[in-house]
Amino acid sequence: AASAAARLDLDGNPIAPLTICMIGAGGFIGSHLCEKLMAETAHVVYAVDVYCDKIRHLVDPAPPHLHGRISFHRLNIKNDSRLEGLIKMADLTINLAAICTPADYNTRPLDTIYSNFIDALPVVKYCSENNKRLIHFSTCEVYGKTIGSFLPTDHPLRKEPEFYVLKEDESPCIFGPIVKQRWSYACAKQLIERLIFAEGAENGLEFTIVRPFNWIGPRMDFIPGVDGPSEGVPRVLACFSNNLLRREPLKLVDGGQSQRTFVYIKDAIEAVHLMIENPARANGQIFNVGNPNNEVTVRELAEMMTEVYANVSGEPPLDEPMIDVSSKQFYGEGYDDSDKRIPDMTIINKQLGWNPKTPLKDLLETTLTYQHKTYKEAIKRQMSQASAS
Ligand code: NAD
Ligand code: UDP
């Protein structure tokens, strides 16, 4: 810890140990951020969440070398008066809590809007009133659809970066109609961003807004029927992992033509770490965090995951590794999609000198190795029980 305390920030100043109130610390991103802060810094973390399965190794109980460094606070921020006290005791609050799986946006739009806007309000208010710094997690989905998506498919302007690259301070937010309830999430996130920005402008709140672009890696979401509900629909990495583990075809929604850029969770966490320790460079900023070099269509992702999983598991791929499903069948009424997501990296690069490192192939190898090790036996047992009964 002594050497950690002597670490320097990007401007050469020693980094003082911070107390951090991390809300949503038990989720995918939170679990990696807790690990990083425990391993490489001297900061103290109040880990707030309704569950702690993904950080059990850090908090239940905390291993002796982390004594006094991390504590778990099981509370629902919707209705718990302890929240304000924790924010007051901390130097910095990081809010990760949200409903953030697309299958919920059109089927549970009220919960989605409450979670992403209403429930985040008190966090912003307590930070503003108590002059505490806030790092709030928004989403790349606030950009919605690209400008180019409204041009005919073969229009040459679609190839021009101005028609698709997403820039924090220039690109518009383009959502579909209200009946497309998919956009309930993006719209709630946009409004909380505007509110935080306004608190900064009118009341001097020190804030940083993070827009993650498809961060993926170990511990993302759940495998349906193993550590989550069997009818649950997680994000694409977990959906495809589940299909591969069960030797079922991967389902391509509406042809799998949408494009995404995937960034390795450990690269992305480096960016958050820099924001935490360089407030002068991060305050007042909105940051895209993604990997523009890792772009694939969903179909290409499915092909890559199939190939990588075959290598990792030693099981040959199915004869028909993929099938098409309509979004209505897969997600129900009101689904819509973002067509393409290339993050502009100018701002984060200039402010924090951050660049993503890991190519898609490498991060899929690491992640699918983890999925295979973590889940294969449980799935085998479950499938043999099901066929026996
Ligand atoms: P996650 O679902 O794994 O983590 C969210 C955590 O918040 C969960 O552990 C959940 O239990 C907790 N939580 C939710 N509501 C709560 C409440 N009322 N009280 C206490 N805890 C609550 O998701 P994640 O991928 O770790 O995402 C974290 C944040 O990043 C979210 O705000 C999400 O919108 C944003 N984000 C993530 C990605 C990504 O690529 N993973 C992309 C875009 C945006
Ligand atoms: N998708 C798919 N099959 C699945 C799960 C998702 O084709 O089993 C598609 C989904 O329609 C979207 C993309 O994969 O185009 C990424 O979905 P994800 O849930 O990860 O979240 P998003 O990037 O849309 O926020």
Side-chain angles (χ1 to χ4, degrees):
S3 66
R7 289 164 46 249
L8 302 179
D9 70 15
L10 292 173
D11 298 304
N13 305 311
I15 295 165
L18 297 166
T19 299
I20 300 172
C21 175
M22 195 192 300
I23 305 166
F28 163 58
I29 296 175
S31 71
H32 287 276
L33 188 53
C34 286
E35 271 183 2
K36 177 84 172 179
L37 293 172
M38 291 305 112
E40 294 179 23
T41 76
H43 307 313
V44 168
V45 172
Y46 305 148
V48 174
D49 207 303
V50 289
Y51 90 136
C52 67
D53 296 15
K54 296 183 185 188
I55 50 169
R56 207 172 281 289
H57 57 299
L58 299 176
V59 300
D60 188 24
H65 73 283
L66 295 181
H67 210 82
R69 294 275 320 283
I70 183 163
S71 54
F72 179 62
H73 304 263
R74 190 183 302 277
L75 61 92
N76 187 329
I77 63 163
K78 271 184 194 303
N79 49 29
D80 200 304
S81 58
R82 287 173 293 173
L83 180 64
E84 184 171 12
L86 290 170
I87 290 176
K88 277 185 174 169
M89 285 194 300
D91 305 300
L92 161 68
T93 293
I94 301 178
N95 190 6
L96 295 146
I99 287 177
C100 52
T101 33
D104 292 320
Y105 307 161
N106 60 315
T107 56
R108 300 169 58 204
L110 284 175
D111 287 341
T112 300
I113 295 167
Y114 272 80
S115 169
N116 284 284
F117 182 67
I118 306 284
D119 300 345
L121 280 177
V123 177
V124 180
K125 183 171 150 243
Y126 298 147
C127 288
S128 191
E129 285 172 358
N130 295 291
N131 298 313
K132 301 292 186 178
R133 199 178 157 219
L134 171 64
I135 298 181
H136 186 84
F137 273 71
S138 180
T139 173
C140 59
E141 220 172 290
V142 296
Y143 293 110
K145 300 182 184 244
T146 64
I147 304 174
S149 72
F150 294 89
L151 294 168
T153 332
D154 51 0
H155 199 288
L157 284 179
R158 277 196 163 207
K159 298 216 164 66
E160 296 296 320
E162 307 88 281
F163 285 78
Y164 65 82
V165 173
L166 304 171
K167 297 190 177 186
E168 295 93 330
D169 51 358
E170 285 180 27
S171 299
C173 302
I174 307 175
F175 305 154
I178 303 299
V179 287
K180 295 288 187 188
Q181 296 201 79
R182 157 69 187 238
W183 303 107
S184 58
Y185 168 74
C187 190
K189 287 282 204 198
Q190 185 194 162
L191 191 54
I192 198 75
E193 278 200 25
R194 291 192 186 274
L195 185 114
I196 291 167
F197 197 87
E199 280 289 349
E202 293 188 33
N203 295 326
L205 172 69
E206 293 184 332
F207 72 87
T208 303
I209 289 169
V210 186
R211 292 181 178 166
F213 280 65
N214 294 77
W215 300 9
I216 64 175
R219 290 201 292 265
M220 185 168 198
D221 298 337
F222 56 90
I223 296 299
V226 179
D227 53 6
S230 19
E231 299 307 307
V233 179
R235 286 170 285 188
V236 67
L237 175 82
C239 285
F240 286 175
S241 300
N242 183 41
N243 298 144
L244 291 165
L245 286 157
R246 293 179 193 276
R247 296 190 64 69
E248 316 166 331
L250 280 57
K251 293 180 177 156
L252 299 180
V253 171
D254 293 340
Q257 290 312 300
S258 298
Q259 291 166 294
R260 294 288 186 273
T261 51
F262 294 93
V263 64
Y264 188 39
I265 181 70
K266 291 194 193 292
D267 291 356
I269 289 294
E270 291 277 350
V272 183
H273 186 191
L274 286 165
M275 293 173 206
I276 293 171
E277 295 184 341
N278 293 277
R281 290 164 176 258
N283 283 345
Q285 299 289 343
I286 299 176
F287 289 120
N288 287 343
V289 181
N291 188 337
N293 308 317
N294 281 349
E295 187 180 41
V296 281
T297 63
V298 173
R299 179 180 291 276
E300 288 164 346
L301 175 73
E303 287 164 358
M304 260 178 126
M305 285 182 67
T306 301
E307 186 195 317
V308 169
Y309 189 72
N311 288 336
V312 162
S313 65
E315 299 167 8
L318 301 176
D319 292 336
E320 280 187 65
M322 285 157 234
I323 50 165
D324 284 313
V325 294
S326 72
S327 56
K328 192 164 168 197
Q329 266 175 306
F330 193 80
Y331 289 111
E333 208 65 65
Y335 182 75
D336 200 354
D337 210 350
S338 301
D339 53 302
K340 183 175 174 77
R341 291 180 180 158
I342 302 276
D344 184 89
M345 295 276 91
T346 312
I347 295 183
I348 191 157
N349 205 268
K350 170 162 172 270
Q351 295 300 115
L352 302 173
W354 178 84
N355 279 304
K357 299 191 200 94
T358 314
L360 186 55
K361 186 82 184 290
D362 296 1
L363 77 85
L364 289 177
E365 263 162 28
T366 313
T367 307
L368 289 175
T369 302
Y370 171 88
Q371 303 289 53
H372 185 69
K373 265 207 323 245
T374 310
Y375 293 108
K376 189 64 194 187
E377 286 309 312
I379 287 193
K380 261 195 213 155
R381 272 198 304 277
Q382 198 190 46
M383 289 174 75
S384 69
Q385 277 164 7
S387 63
S389 64

